[in-house]
Amino acid sequence: MPEGDTVWRTALHLHQALSGEVLTETDFRVPALATLDLSGATVDETVARGKHLLTRIGDRTLHTHLKMEGSWHLYKPGTAWRRPAHEARVVLRTEGWTAVGFALGVVEVVARDAEDTVVGHLGPDLLGPDWDEEEALRRLLADPERPVAEAILDQRNLAGIGNLYKAESLFLARLSPWRRVGDVPDLAGVVENARRLLTINRRHPAQVTTGINRRGQEHWVYERNGKPCRRCRTMVQVAKQGAAPFDRLTYWCPTCQPA
Ligand SMILES: [Zn+2]
């Protein structure tokens, strides 16, 4: 599941492979960009903003988002792709690398000085160099009635938490996902936990929150519905939370995280 840590690492890999390099060929396989050709341009950098990727190329920015199924792969020339070619949405070639964005949820190109139109709505980035906890807390508390699980998932409040880190951060804080955000005794602690988990996991593909990197033991409650809580043996529950289209599954232990 692409969350802030996965996106941060993707940005790092794209940055290391492409930055400073001239594009020898580009292929945008989305209707709006079908005729765009950026070959000859130099890639300046790729950065993550929450769960968004910004690849800066001259005076333009390629904005991509992995959503549920997307991924960027890097291939040496002549290497077989590991996902079907029909899933490719963007192909960027340099002399040394082919970067392929598969099944991306968003692909658009904007003027570099207009990046705010695509990421300006985001709250402070949990993995950003400009992380601002005070501002994140201010945004979270602006709607104190909102259930905490929905509030921390809203990228306008703070950027980078997806469904996995939502569930795990609330378990670690022993908080019901339905607790009103204004009633959370240590909201800063919840945010700091999420940031710590994202930071720990950003350098490797595993998303481990328990400290145990073994299959089936990586998480406290996420996707563990019907299984016993690792702390108290109560059955972990799952329910839909939030109003469509933003309703997401929430996993929790009713004993450790009482209503
Ligand atoms: Zn429990």
Side-chain angles (χ1 to χ4, degrees):
M1 182 65 57
E3 304 206 12
D5 54 346
T6 306
V7 176
W8 186 91
R9 196 173 54 258
T10 300
L12 178 68
H13 291 161
L14 289 173
H15 184 63
Q16 288 171 340
L18 304 179
S19 297
E21 300 296 320
V22 175
L23 294 169
T24 55
E25 191 186 338
T26 65
D27 188 0
F28 296 91
R29 301 181 184 177
V30 292
L33 301 178
T35 60
L36 180 64
D37 178 2
L38 295 181
S39 58
T42 299
V43 180
D44 295 312
E45 59 183 345
T46 296
V47 296
R49 286 283 176 271
K51 296 195 274 180
H52 299 251
L53 287 158
L54 302 174
T55 301
R56 294 169 177 149
I57 305 166
D59 57 2
R60 297 192 236 210
T61 296
L62 168 62
H63 168 225
T64 58
H65 194 296
L66 306 178
K67 291 282 166 83
M68 301 301 278
E69 304 291 336
S71 58
W72 273 97
H73 291 186
L74 285 162
Y75 299 108
K76 285 285 185 188
T79 317
W81 294 0
R82 297 188 310 276
R83 285 185 71 159
H86 69 83
E87 293 182 0
R89 295 291 172 271
V90 183
V91 183
L92 303 176
R93 281 186 217 277
T94 65
E95 203 177 291
W97 291 101
T98 300
V100 189
F102 292 99
L104 301 170
V106 174
V107 178
E108 58 185 344
V109 172
V110 297
R112 186 149 154 183
D113 58 12
E115 284 179 1
D116 262 7
T117 60
V118 293
V119 291
H121 64 289
L122 295 174
D125 181 355
L126 283 147
L127 291 179
D130 53 351
W131 164 243
D132 182 346
E133 181 177 300
E134 236 172 82
E135 173 63 10
L137 293 173
R138 192 190 65 73
R139 290 181 182 219
L140 285 166
L141 291 170
D143 186 359
E145 298 297 315
R146 203 163 178 204
V148 61
E150 293 175 45
I152 63 172
L153 208 47
D154 189 330
Q155 306 294 303
R156 295 170 297 184
N157 289 333
L158 72 178
I161 297 176
N163 219 28
L164 188 162
Y165 293 113
K166 172 194 84 175
E168 300 293 281
S169 304
L170 296 179
F171 177 85
L172 290 169
R174 299 187 179 236
L175 273 178
S176 162
W178 285 270
R179 182 80 70 92
R180 286 182 308 220
V181 71
D183 294 341
V184 172
D186 181 16
L187 190 58
V190 175
V191 169
E192 282 158 18
N193 262 338
R195 184 156 182 263
R196 186 175 56 82
L197 294 175
L198 284 162
T199 303
I200 289 169
N201 286 311
R202 68 183 170 170
R203 298 229 176 243
H204 53 81
Q207 293 177 305
V208 178
T209 57
T210 55
I212 306 171
N213 191 3
R214 272 202 295 276
R215 199 179 168 79
Q217 298 188 48
E218 305 99 319
H219 306 138
W220 294 104
V221 290
Y222 180 73
E223 291 186 338
R224 294 198 67 246
N225 47 302
K227 299 197 171 103
C229 170
R230 300 165 56 86
R231 190 185 268 157
C232 76
R233 314 309 289 170
T234 304
M235 193 96 84
V236 173
Q237 305 287 307
V238 62
K240 265 193 185 168
Q241 185 175 11
F246 301 110
D247 53 325
R248 302 291 299 274
L249 292 177
T250 283
Y251 304 87
W252 81 105
C253 169
T255 303
C256 294
Q257 301 166 266

